[in-house]
Amino acid sequence: FAADPSEGCEDLLVQFTDLSNFDQALWYWEFGDNTFSYMPNPMHYYFDPGTYDVSLTLSTIYGCSSSYTWEDMITVYKMPIAEFVSIPESASELEPTIWFFDRSLFASAWNWYFGDLYSLNNNSNDQNPFHVYSDTGTHIVTLVAISDEGCMDTARHTIYIEPNVAIYIPNAFTPNNDPKNPNFICKGEGIDWSTFEMRIYDRWGKQLLCTHDYEEGWNGEYQNIEVPEGVYSYLISFTDVRLKKHNLKGIVTLIK
């Protein structure tokens, strides 16, 4: 009889084939793991690592029989168990470095895939690598742990690189008919500008402006009339790309 395959990783599925020349035989297989079969060409799963003797006994209807035991016919290798941790589990766009630490069992080689589609260095064979991410968002990190016998197990975890959120608000502007700083304009990154709102107040609390136009800002006028030099208050609200709401207040000096 023959077996295909005769070695491999748990759980190993083996096809046994009877090569005998018995006519009208009865088959009795013993697979070495306390299981048996009466099929002529059975398939059998080996769930535990180890080495197994396989026996086949053939019997005719006349009571004639023949047995053969193939010692150590089947070898089943232990599967590694892949696992890892990442530190930190999330990072920012400004510091996008993640360290990965292998926690696998029975592994002697490692294939890492960092899920960074825009990086030229998206994999590693180090046991404990690090990776500098090239883009924000969610990344699926995959570790393939490999044993000495070539058995493989896979672990996956998700990390998140947060986009940088920043807004820059000037403390003064000069609407004096020259091209320098004519408007009070905010700039930033990681902001959902469709949610932007800015309100301007004078010292007595009168609202001079309410706008959603972050590109135009405030030109130092109220109802098309220039307001005098002085200090004015602002309230600015927006939602960032992480869906976090921001409400900012402060003062700005109008200089002519």
Side-chain angles (χ1 to χ4, degrees), residues 6-255:
S6 60
E7 62 178 356
C9 307
E10 58 178 333
D11 304 319
L12 181 65
L13 178 61
V14 180
Q15 172 70 65
F16 291 97
T17 304
D18 172 33
L19 303 178
S20 307
N21 292 319
F22 272 52
D23 295 328
Q24 299 180 344
L26 300 176
W27 294 266
Y28 176 69
W29 296 83
E30 291 184 282
F31 300 117
D33 59 353
N34 298 318
T35 61
F36 59 89
S37 173
Y38 296 108
M39 301 293 293
N41 299 296
M43 299 183 72
H44 181 66
Y45 265 110
Y46 287 91
F47 295 104
D48 298 314
T51 302
Y52 298 92
D53 302 337
V54 179
S55 297
L56 172 61
T57 299
L58 292 176
S59 302
T60 69
I61 59 175
Y62 305 106
C64 302
S65 66
S66 176
S67 297
Y68 180 71
T69 298
W70 190 327
E71 295 183 354
D72 300 334
M73 184 182 195
I74 304 298
T75 301
V76 182
Y77 303 118
K78 189 169 187 62
M79 286 285 290
I81 302 173
E83 187 55 273
F84 66 93
V85 296
S86 56
I87 299 177
E89 293 183 356
S90 63
S92 71
E93 183 180 10
L94 296 179
E95 296 182 357
T97 301
I98 303 290
W99 293 85
F100 299 97
F101 295 94
D102 171 51
R103 293 293 183 268
S104 304
L105 299 176
F106 318 116
S108 57
W110 305 265
N111 288 334
W112 295 86
Y113 304 90
F114 301 120
D116 191 357
L117 299 181
Y118 300 103
S119 173
L120 297 177
N121 183 27
N122 194 30
N123 49 27
S124 175
N125 299 118
D126 294 340
Q127 183 177 5
N128 300 301
F130 71 91
H131 183 69
V132 180
Y133 279 87
S134 61
D135 197 10
T136 60
T138 299
H139 304 273
I140 299 176
V141 182
T142 302
L143 168 61
V144 179
I146 307 169
S147 69
D148 288 332
E149 295 79 19
C151 300
M152 295 182 290
D153 188 38
T154 301
R156 293 182 177 89
H157 293 298
T158 299
I159 66 167
Y160 183 65
I161 305 299
E162 297 178 345
N164 184 41
V165 175
I167 188 166
Y168 308 99
I169 304 174
N171 56 14
F173 71 114
T174 57
N176 53 6
N177 298 319
D178 67 27
K180 297 181 180 180
N181 304 317
N183 287 22
F184 176 54
I185 296 177
C186 304
K187 296 185 181 297
E189 55 183 325
I191 296 171
D192 180 0
W193 290 108
S194 67
T195 65
F196 177 82
E197 181 182 274
M198 180 171 68
R199 298 175 184 267
I200 304 294
Y201 300 89
D202 65 15
R203 68 178 65 185
W204 295 282
K206 180 180 179 180
Q207 181 174 293
L208 305 181
L209 176 76
C210 178
T211 183
H212 298 276
D213 189 345
Y214 69 94
E215 294 182 324
E216 181 177 351
W218 182 40
N219 62 1
E221 296 181 359
Y222 172 62
Q223 296 182 348
N224 296 322
I225 299 174
E226 294 183 358
V227 300
E229 277 191 338
V231 176
Y232 296 84
S233 301
Y234 62 78
L235 292 177
I236 294 174
S237 64
F238 62 88
T239 300
D240 64 31
V241 292
R242 305 178 211 165
L243 302 180
K244 181 179 179 181
K245 179 75 172 179
H246 297 261
N247 294 293
L248 308 175
K249 60 182 179 180
I251 58 174
V252 59
T253 302
L254 188 156
I255 303 173

